[in-house]
Amino acid sequence: MKIAGIIAEYNPFHCGHRYQVDCLREQGVTHIVAVMSSNVVQRGELSVFSKWARTKAALGNGVDLVVELPALWANASAERFAQAGVSLLHSMGCVDVLGFGSECGDLSLLCQTATACRDAGVDRQLRQNLSRGMPYHAARQRAVESRFGKKVSRVLSQPNDILAVEYLKALKLLSSRMEPLLVQRRGVEHDGEETTGFFASASALRKWLGNGELFQIQPFVPASAWNVYRDEWERGCAPALLQRVETAFLYRLRSMNPEEFALLPDVSEGLEYRLAEAARTAQSLEEFFASAKTKRYAHSRLRRIAMAAMLGITAEDFMLRPEYLRVLGLNRRGEEILHRVKACGSLPLKSSFATLVKTSRVAQIEEAATELFSLSLPHIPLGKMDRWQEIVKQ
Protein backbone atom coordinates (compact mmCIF):
# COMPACT_ATOMS: atom_id res chain seq x y z
CA MET A 1 0.00 0.00 0.00
CA LYS A 2 1.38 3.40 -1.00
CA ILE A 3 -0.81 6.29 0.16
CA ALA A 4 -0.68 9.76 -1.39
CA GLY A 5 -2.20 12.88 0.11
CA ILE A 6 -3.55 15.83 -1.89
CA ILE A 7 -4.61 19.22 -0.53
CA ALA A 8 -7.29 20.72 -2.76
CA GLU A 9 -10.41 22.82 -3.15
CA TYR A 10 -11.91 20.94 -6.13
CA ASN A 11 -13.96 24.07 -6.81
CA PRO A 12 -15.06 22.35 -8.96
CA PHE A 13 -13.28 19.06 -9.70
CA HIS A 14 -12.23 19.15 -13.38
CA CYS A 15 -10.10 17.28 -15.92
CA GLY A 16 -6.90 18.87 -14.64
CA HIS A 17 -7.58 17.36 -11.22
CA ARG A 18 -8.23 13.97 -12.81
CA TYR A 19 -4.91 14.29 -14.65
CA GLN A 20 -3.11 14.84 -11.33
CA VAL A 21 -4.77 11.78 -9.78
CA ASP A 22 -3.85 9.65 -12.81
CA CYS A 23 -0.22 10.85 -12.65
CA LEU A 24 0.01 9.82 -9.01
CA ARG A 25 -1.35 6.38 -9.87
CA GLU A 26 1.22 6.05 -12.64
CA GLN A 27 3.98 6.69 -10.06
CA GLY A 28 2.93 3.70 -7.96
CA VAL A 29 0.36 5.24 -5.63
CA THR A 30 -2.34 2.73 -4.66
CA HIS A 31 -4.50 4.86 -2.33
CA ILE A 32 -5.30 8.59 -2.40
CA VAL A 33 -6.65 10.80 0.39
CA ALA A 34 -7.65 14.40 -0.30
CA VAL A 35 -7.85 17.10 2.36
CA MET A 36 -10.48 19.31 0.75
CA SER A 37 -11.71 22.81 1.58
CA SER A 38 -15.11 23.11 3.17
CA ASN A 39 -17.89 25.36 1.87
CA VAL A 40 -15.63 28.43 1.88
CA VAL A 41 -12.41 28.66 -0.11
CA GLN A 42 -9.07 30.43 0.02
CA ARG A 43 -10.11 33.49 -1.98
CA GLY A 44 -12.63 34.44 0.66
CA GLU A 45 -15.53 33.14 -1.40
CA LEU A 46 -18.12 30.37 -1.17
CA SER A 47 -17.50 27.12 -3.01
CA VAL A 48 -19.70 26.82 -6.09
CA PHE A 49 -20.89 23.31 -5.13
CA SER A 50 -21.27 21.91 -1.62
CA LYS A 51 -18.43 20.02 0.02
CA TRP A 52 -20.49 16.83 -0.23
CA ALA A 53 -21.10 17.25 -3.97
CA ARG A 54 -17.39 17.96 -4.55
CA THR A 55 -16.56 14.91 -2.44
CA LYS A 56 -18.80 12.75 -4.62
CA ALA A 57 -17.14 14.10 -7.78
CA ALA A 58 -13.67 13.36 -6.35
CA LEU A 59 -14.58 9.83 -5.27
CA GLY A 60 -15.84 9.13 -8.77
CA ASN A 61 -12.46 10.12 -10.22
CA GLY A 62 -9.74 8.27 -8.39
CA VAL A 63 -9.76 9.79 -4.90
CA ASP A 64 -10.44 7.19 -2.19
CA LEU A 65 -10.93 9.24 0.96
CA VAL A 66 -11.94 12.90 1.43
CA VAL A 67 -11.22 14.65 4.72
CA GLU A 68 -12.42 18.17 5.50
CA LEU A 69 -10.12 21.17 5.67
CA PRO A 70 -12.19 23.27 8.09
CA ALA A 71 -13.36 26.75 7.14
CA LEU A 72 -10.98 28.36 9.64
CA TRP A 73 -8.03 27.39 7.41
CA ALA A 74 -9.83 27.10 4.08
CA ASN A 75 -10.44 30.86 4.30
CA ALA A 76 -6.80 31.75 4.94
CA SER A 77 -3.53 32.78 3.35
CA ALA A 78 -1.53 30.25 1.32
CA GLU A 79 0.79 29.66 4.29
CA ARG A 80 -1.99 28.90 6.79
CA PHE A 81 -3.95 26.91 4.20
CA ALA A 82 -0.90 24.75 3.43
CA GLN A 83 0.17 24.30 7.05
CA ALA A 84 -3.27 23.08 8.11
CA GLY A 85 -3.62 20.74 5.12
CA VAL A 86 -0.17 19.22 5.61
CA SER A 87 -0.78 18.94 9.35
CA LEU A 88 -3.99 16.96 8.81
CA LEU A 89 -2.27 14.56 6.39
CA HIS A 90 0.74 14.24 8.71
CA SER A 91 -1.55 13.45 11.66
CA MET A 92 -2.91 10.39 9.84
CA GLY A 93 0.43 8.71 10.40
CA CYS A 94 0.22 6.60 7.25
CA VAL A 95 0.46 8.97 4.27
CA ASP A 96 3.63 8.25 2.30
CA VAL A 97 3.73 11.08 -0.23
CA LEU A 98 2.28 14.56 -0.65
CA GLY A 99 1.18 15.12 -4.25
CA PHE A 100 0.88 18.65 -5.61
CA GLY A 101 0.90 20.58 -8.87
CA SER A 102 3.54 23.01 -10.06
CA GLU A 103 4.03 25.36 -12.96
CA CYS A 104 7.83 25.14 -12.97
CA GLY A 105 7.96 21.36 -12.58
CA ASP A 106 11.33 21.48 -10.80
CA LEU A 107 11.26 19.99 -7.28
CA SER A 108 14.86 20.95 -6.57
CA LEU A 109 14.15 24.58 -7.41
CA LEU A 110 10.98 24.55 -5.29
CA CYS A 111 12.98 23.17 -2.35
CA GLN A 112 15.59 25.92 -2.81
CA THR A 113 12.83 28.53 -2.74
CA ALA A 114 11.27 27.00 0.39
CA THR A 115 14.66 27.16 2.08
CA ALA A 116 15.12 30.76 0.95
CA CYS A 117 11.75 31.75 2.43
CA ARG A 118 12.91 30.46 5.83
CA ASP A 119 16.21 32.36 5.67
CA ALA A 120 16.72 34.90 8.48
CA GLY A 121 18.20 37.47 6.10
CA VAL A 122 15.21 37.14 3.78
CA ASP A 123 12.90 37.64 6.74
CA ARG A 124 14.68 40.86 7.71
CA GLN A 125 14.55 42.15 4.14
CA LEU A 126 10.90 41.16 3.87
CA ARG A 127 10.04 43.25 6.94
CA GLN A 128 11.90 46.22 5.51
CA ASN A 129 10.03 45.89 2.22
CA LEU A 130 6.69 45.69 4.05
CA SER A 131 7.56 48.82 6.04
CA ARG A 132 7.93 50.65 2.71
CA GLY A 133 4.31 49.79 1.84
CA MET A 134 4.93 46.90 -0.57
CA PRO A 135 2.29 44.12 -0.88
CA TYR A 136 3.32 40.94 0.93
CA HIS A 137 3.88 38.75 -2.14
CA ALA A 138 5.94 41.39 -3.93
CA ALA A 139 7.88 42.15 -0.74
CA ARG A 140 8.75 38.49 -0.23
CA GLN A 141 9.71 37.92 -3.85
CA ARG A 142 11.98 40.98 -3.78
CA ALA A 143 13.57 39.83 -0.52
CA VAL A 144 14.30 36.35 -1.91
CA GLU A 145 15.71 37.82 -5.11
CA SER A 146 18.09 40.08 -3.17
CA ARG A 147 19.73 37.10 -1.48
CA PHE A 148 19.15 34.10 -3.76
CA GLY A 149 18.72 35.55 -7.25
CA LYS A 150 15.96 35.80 -9.84
CA LYS A 151 15.81 32.11 -10.72
CA VAL A 152 14.75 31.24 -7.18
CA SER A 153 12.53 34.28 -6.60
CA ARG A 154 10.67 33.77 -9.89
CA VAL A 155 9.10 30.64 -8.41
CA LEU A 156 7.05 32.91 -6.15
CA SER A 157 5.24 34.44 -9.13
CA GLN A 158 3.01 31.45 -9.97
CA PRO A 159 0.04 30.36 -7.80
CA ASN A 160 0.64 26.60 -7.80
CA ASP A 161 4.36 27.08 -7.21
CA ILE A 162 3.61 29.41 -4.28
CA LEU A 163 1.42 26.73 -2.70
CA ALA A 164 4.07 24.10 -3.44
CA VAL A 165 6.65 26.17 -1.57
CA GLU A 166 4.28 26.47 1.39
CA TYR A 167 3.70 22.70 1.38
CA LEU A 168 7.46 22.09 1.43
CA LYS A 169 7.89 24.59 4.28
CA ALA A 170 5.14 22.82 6.25
CA LEU A 171 6.70 19.39 5.69
CA LYS A 172 9.98 20.72 7.07
CA LEU A 173 8.30 22.42 10.03
CA LEU A 174 6.56 19.18 11.02
CA SER A 175 9.59 16.95 10.31
CA SER A 176 7.08 14.89 8.33
CA ARG A 177 7.89 11.51 6.84
CA MET A 178 5.81 12.37 3.77
CA GLU A 179 7.84 12.72 0.60
CA PRO A 180 6.91 15.47 -1.90
CA LEU A 181 5.68 14.12 -5.25
CA LEU A 182 5.37 16.79 -7.92
CA VAL A 183 3.00 16.77 -10.89
CA GLN A 184 3.71 19.46 -13.48
CA ARG A 185 0.64 21.48 -14.34
CA ARG A 186 -0.78 20.88 -17.82
CA GLY A 187 -3.19 22.82 -19.98
CA VAL A 188 -4.15 26.37 -19.02
CA GLU A 189 -2.93 28.93 -16.51
CA HIS A 190 -4.37 28.87 -13.00
CA ASP A 191 -6.74 31.80 -13.58
CA GLY A 192 -6.75 31.70 -17.37
CA GLU A 193 -9.97 32.12 -19.32
CA GLU A 194 -8.72 30.27 -22.40
CA THR A 195 -9.23 26.53 -22.85
CA THR A 196 -6.89 23.86 -24.22
CA GLY A 197 -8.33 20.51 -25.24
CA PHE A 198 -10.14 19.12 -22.22
CA PHE A 199 -8.50 21.61 -19.86
CA ALA A 200 -10.05 24.79 -18.46
CA SER A 201 -9.17 26.61 -15.26
CA ALA A 202 -11.42 26.30 -12.23
CA SER A 203 -11.91 30.07 -12.31
CA ALA A 204 -13.22 29.88 -15.91
CA LEU A 205 -15.62 27.11 -14.89
CA ARG A 206 -16.85 29.15 -11.92
CA LYS A 207 -17.40 32.17 -14.14
CA TRP A 208 -19.62 30.15 -16.48
CA LEU A 209 -21.52 28.66 -13.55
CA GLY A 210 -22.00 32.09 -12.00
CA ASN A 211 -23.49 33.26 -15.29
CA GLY A 212 -25.91 30.32 -15.31
CA GLU A 213 -24.07 28.53 -18.14
CA LEU A 214 -23.95 25.02 -16.70
CA PHE A 215 -23.50 23.23 -20.03
CA GLN A 216 -20.42 25.31 -20.85
CA ILE A 217 -18.41 23.32 -18.30
CA GLN A 218 -19.34 19.85 -19.58
CA PRO A 219 -16.36 19.32 -21.95
CA PHE A 220 -13.88 20.22 -19.20
CA VAL A 221 -15.04 17.98 -16.34
CA PRO A 222 -15.01 14.16 -16.11
CA ALA A 223 -18.30 12.51 -17.07
CA SER A 224 -19.07 11.23 -13.57
CA ALA A 225 -18.39 14.67 -12.08
CA TRP A 226 -20.64 16.25 -14.71
CA ASN A 227 -23.49 13.98 -13.58
CA VAL A 228 -23.02 15.16 -10.00
CA TYR A 229 -22.98 18.83 -10.98
CA ARG A 230 -26.02 18.56 -13.25
CA ASP A 231 -27.99 16.77 -10.53
CA GLU A 232 -27.07 19.45 -7.97
CA TRP A 233 -28.05 22.18 -10.42
CA GLU A 234 -31.40 20.61 -11.27
CA ARG A 235 -32.28 20.21 -7.58
CA GLY A 236 -31.52 23.87 -6.84
CA CYS A 237 -28.46 22.94 -4.76
CA ALA A 238 -26.06 24.96 -6.93
CA PRO A 239 -24.53 27.32 -7.70
CA ALA A 240 -23.77 29.07 -4.43
CA LEU A 241 -23.58 32.80 -5.15
CA LEU A 242 -22.27 35.42 -2.75
CA GLN A 243 -24.70 37.93 -4.27
CA ARG A 244 -27.59 36.09 -2.61
CA VAL A 245 -26.22 36.95 0.84
CA GLU A 246 -24.70 40.31 -0.07
CA THR A 247 -27.02 42.40 2.07
CA ALA A 248 -26.28 40.17 5.07
CA PHE A 249 -22.56 40.81 4.50
CA LEU A 250 -23.13 44.56 4.28
CA TYR A 251 -25.22 44.53 7.45
CA ARG A 252 -22.49 42.66 9.32
CA LEU A 253 -19.73 44.98 8.04
CA ARG A 254 -21.71 48.15 8.76
CA SER A 255 -22.44 46.96 12.31
CA MET A 256 -18.71 46.73 13.13
CA ASN A 257 -16.59 49.52 14.58
CA PRO A 258 -12.83 49.92 13.94
CA GLU A 259 -11.99 48.12 17.18
CA GLU A 260 -13.96 45.07 16.02
CA PHE A 261 -12.31 45.13 12.60
CA ALA A 262 -8.93 45.20 14.36
CA LEU A 263 -9.67 41.78 15.90
CA LEU A 264 -9.97 40.10 12.48
CA PRO A 265 -7.11 38.11 10.90
CA ASP A 266 -4.66 40.08 8.73
CA VAL A 267 -5.91 43.50 9.88
CA SER A 268 -3.07 45.76 11.02
CA GLU A 269 -1.41 49.15 10.54
CA GLY A 270 -4.67 51.09 10.74
CA LEU A 271 -6.48 49.06 8.08
CA GLU A 272 -9.41 48.75 10.52
CA TYR A 273 -10.29 52.43 10.00
CA ARG A 274 -10.24 52.09 6.24
CA LEU A 275 -12.46 49.00 6.46
CA ALA A 276 -14.96 50.70 8.76
CA GLU A 277 -15.22 53.73 6.46
CA ALA A 278 -15.57 51.52 3.37
CA ALA A 279 -18.36 49.55 5.07
CA ARG A 280 -20.20 52.77 5.98
CA THR A 281 -20.34 54.03 2.39
CA ALA A 282 -20.41 50.87 0.22
CA GLN A 283 -23.68 49.80 -1.37
CA SER A 284 -22.30 46.47 -2.58
CA LEU A 285 -19.49 44.10 -1.66
CA GLU A 286 -17.55 45.06 -4.76
CA GLU A 287 -17.79 48.71 -3.72
CA PHE A 288 -16.55 47.75 -0.27
CA PHE A 289 -13.53 45.90 -1.70
CA ALA A 290 -12.78 48.67 -4.20
CA SER A 291 -12.96 51.34 -1.52
CA ALA A 292 -10.78 49.42 0.97
CA LYS A 293 -8.23 48.20 -1.57
CA THR A 294 -4.81 49.78 -1.75
CA LYS A 295 -1.56 48.82 -3.39
CA ARG A 296 -0.62 47.10 -0.14
CA TYR A 297 -3.79 45.04 0.37
CA ALA A 298 -4.73 42.52 -2.31
CA HIS A 299 -8.35 41.91 -3.26
CA SER A 300 -8.19 38.29 -2.03
CA ARG A 301 -6.95 39.44 1.39
CA LEU A 302 -9.90 41.83 1.73
CA ARG A 303 -12.30 39.07 0.71
CA ARG A 304 -10.89 36.77 3.39
CA ILE A 305 -11.22 39.56 5.95
CA ALA A 306 -14.88 40.12 5.01
CA MET A 307 -15.55 36.38 5.18
CA ALA A 308 -13.86 36.19 8.58
CA ALA A 309 -16.10 39.02 9.78
CA MET A 310 -19.16 37.15 8.58
CA LEU A 311 -18.13 33.87 10.21
CA GLY A 312 -16.90 35.46 13.43
CA ILE A 313 -13.27 34.39 12.90
CA THR A 314 -10.72 36.40 14.85
CA ALA A 315 -6.94 36.61 14.68
CA GLU A 316 -6.87 34.74 17.98
CA ASP A 317 -8.61 31.77 16.33
CA PHE A 318 -5.50 31.21 14.20
CA MET A 319 -3.69 30.16 17.36
CA LEU A 320 -5.77 26.97 17.18
CA ARG A 321 -4.39 23.83 15.55
CA PRO A 322 -6.25 21.03 13.74
CA GLU A 323 -7.81 18.94 16.49
CA TYR A 324 -9.82 16.26 14.68
CA LEU A 325 -10.23 14.43 11.38
CA ARG A 326 -13.66 14.63 9.77
CA VAL A 327 -14.42 12.25 6.92
CA LEU A 328 -16.65 13.65 4.16
CA GLY A 329 -16.62 10.55 1.96
CA LEU A 330 -14.84 7.32 1.08
CA ASN A 331 -14.83 4.14 -0.98
CA ARG A 332 -13.47 0.66 -0.24
CA ARG A 333 -9.84 1.76 -0.54
CA GLY A 334 -10.71 4.74 1.64
CA GLU A 335 -11.87 2.32 4.33
CA GLU A 336 -8.44 0.65 4.09
CA ILE A 337 -6.79 4.04 4.67
CA LEU A 338 -9.03 4.69 7.69
CA HIS A 339 -8.03 1.32 9.13
CA ARG A 340 -4.40 2.50 9.04
CA VAL A 341 -5.33 5.92 10.48
CA LYS A 342 -7.07 4.28 13.44
CA ALA A 343 -3.91 2.29 14.12
CA CYS A 344 -1.30 5.04 13.82
CA GLY A 345 -3.03 8.43 13.59
CA SER A 346 -2.54 11.17 16.18
CA LEU A 347 -5.89 12.98 15.81
CA PRO A 348 -9.30 11.53 16.66
CA LEU A 349 -11.73 10.60 13.89
CA LYS A 350 -15.03 12.37 14.50
CA SER A 351 -18.29 10.91 13.22
CA SER A 352 -20.90 12.96 15.13
CA PHE A 353 -20.75 16.63 14.19
CA ALA A 354 -23.63 17.42 16.54
CA THR A 355 -21.49 16.27 19.45
CA LEU A 356 -18.31 17.88 18.12
CA VAL A 357 -19.82 21.34 17.67
CA LYS A 358 -20.71 21.56 21.35
CA THR A 359 -17.07 21.86 22.40
CA SER A 360 -14.96 22.65 19.33
CA ARG A 361 -14.42 26.26 18.23
CA VAL A 362 -13.17 24.96 14.88
CA ALA A 363 -16.42 23.03 14.36
CA GLN A 364 -18.52 26.03 15.41
CA ILE A 365 -16.87 28.15 12.71
CA GLU A 366 -17.45 25.30 10.26
CA GLU A 367 -21.17 25.23 11.06
CA ALA A 368 -21.38 29.00 10.50
CA ALA A 369 -19.72 28.59 7.09
CA THR A 370 -22.17 25.89 6.05
CA GLU A 371 -25.14 27.99 7.17
CA LEU A 372 -23.89 30.90 5.06
CA PHE A 373 -23.34 28.56 2.10
CA SER A 374 -26.87 27.13 2.47
CA LEU A 375 -28.44 30.59 2.37
CA SER A 376 -26.60 31.37 -0.88
CA LEU A 377 -28.24 28.53 -2.83
CA PRO A 378 -31.16 28.78 -5.28
CA HIS A 379 -33.18 26.45 -3.03
CA ILE A 380 -32.38 27.02 0.64
CA PRO A 381 -32.13 23.68 2.49
CA LEU A 382 -32.91 22.95 6.12
CA GLY A 383 -30.50 24.46 8.60
CA LYS A 384 -27.71 22.72 10.51
CA MET A 385 -26.74 20.74 7.41
CA ASP A 386 -23.43 19.67 8.94
CA ARG A 387 -25.38 17.74 11.58
CA TRP A 388 -27.60 15.70 9.29
CA GLN A 389 -25.73 15.30 6.00
CA GLU A 390 -24.43 11.74 5.66
CA ILE A 391 -20.90 10.68 4.70
CA VAL A 392 -20.63 10.07 0.95
CA LYS A 393 -19.95 6.40 0.22
CA GLN A 394 -19.09 4.81 -3.09
Side-chain angles (χ1 to χ4, degrees), residues 93-306:
C94 60
V95 179
D96 301 297
V97 298
L98 173 62
F100 53 84
S102 161
E103 287 91 355
C104 77
D106 187 334
L107 182 58
S108 175
L109 182 58
L110 289 167
C111 289
Q112 289 179 55
T113 309
T115 299
C117 288
R118 297 193 305 272
D119 180 79
V122 166
D123 186 61
R124 285 193 297 271
Q125 185 63 52
L126 168 62
R127 294 178 188 280
Q128 290 177 17
N129 292 344
L130 289 173
S131 69
R132 299 186 185 111
M134 293 178 64
Y136 177 81
H137 291 300
R140 184 170 71 161
Q141 191 171 358
R142 183 78 60 84
V144 169
E145 181 182 336
S146 69
R147 291 182 61 83
F148 292 87
K150 285 188 177 181
K151 183 178 180 181
V152 174
S153 69
R154 198 176 296 122
V155 170
L156 298 171
S157 64
Q158 295 292 336
N160 285 110
D161 284 342
I162 290 171
L163 270 177
V165 166
E166 297 301 340
Y167 295 147
L168 294 169
K169 286 170 56 184
L171 288 173
K172 187 74 172 178
L173 182 67
L174 292 167
S175 300
S176 178
R177 63 180 286 269
M178 290 187 289
E179 293 290 331
L181 186 54
L182 182 150
V183 175
Q184 184 158 16
R185 185 179 177 89
R186 270 189 66 192
V188 296
E189 293 183 2
H190 185 268
D191 290 321
E193 295 189 4
E194 298 178 356
T195 61
T196 302
F198 294 107
F199 296 104
S201 71
S203 92
L205 301 182
R206 291 193 297 272
K207 184 176 180 179
W208 286 326
L209 291 166
N211 291 334
E213 301 174 280
L214 172 65
F215 284 86
Q216 283 283 91
I217 77 167
Q218 186 174 6
F220 308 106
V221 299
S224 59
W226 163 252
N227 291 334
V228 173
Y229 303 150
R230 183 179 58 188
D231 181 59
E232 291 287 296
W233 194 279
E234 290 175 350
R235 292 190 299 113
C237 299
L241 296 177
L242 209 58
Q243 298 95 300
R244 296 192 179 108
V245 289
E246 184 172 44
T247 53
F249 262 91
L250 291 175
Y251 171 76
R252 171 60 181 153
L253 295 170
R254 286 187 177 188
S255 71
M256 296 174 66
N257 58 41
E259 292 72 26
E260 290 170 312
F261 275 111
L263 297 176
L264 300 177
D266 298 323
V267 175
S268 60
E269 301 171 332
L271 177 59
E272 61 268 27
Y273 298 101
R274 190 177 186 90
L275 292 169
E277 179 60 22
R280 187 183 68 82
T281 58
Q283 294 180 306
S284 70
L285 275 176
E286 287 308 314
E287 279 189 22
F288 171 76
F289 298 134
S291 181
K293 188 179 185 304
T294 67
K295 198 174 176 183
R296 174 73 180 272
Y297 304 112
H299 206 272
S300 56
R301 178 176 175 179
L302 295 173
R303 284 186 173 277
R304 287 194 294 268
I305 289 171

Side-chain angles (χ1 to χ4, degrees), residues 9-11 36-41 45-55 68 71 206 232-233 235-245 248-249 307 310-311 365-386 388-389:
E9 292 186 328
Y10 294 152
N11 186 35
M36 188 189 76
S37 294
S38 68
N39 288 321
V40 297
V41 292
E45 298 175 342
L46 299 168
S47 61
V48 68
F49 293 101
S50 78
K51 55 191 174 187
W52 294 283
R54 289 179 288 127
T55 292
E68 181 175 80
R206 291 193 297 272
E232 291 287 296
W233 194 279
R235 292 190 299 113
C237 299
L241 296 177
L242 209 58
Q243 298 95 300
R244 296 192 179 108
V245 289
F249 262 91
M307 183 64 73
M310 197 66 178
L311 301 182
I365 293 169
E366 187 60 40
E367 184 162 67
T370 299
E371 289 301 308
L372 182 64
F373 173 86
S374 299
L375 294 170
S376 74
L377 297 174
H379 175 71
I380 298 175
L382 296 175
K384 309 294 184 185
M385 192 187 303
D386 272 305
W388 53 261
Q389 185 72 46

Side-chain angles (χ1 to χ4, degrees), residues 76-98:
S77 66
E79 183 176 35
R80 290 172 181 150
F81 176 92
Q83 284 181 357
V86 172
S87 179
L88 286 168
L89 289 172
H90 174 74
S91 74
M92 294 180 188
C94 60
V95 179
D96 301 297
V97 298
L98 173 62

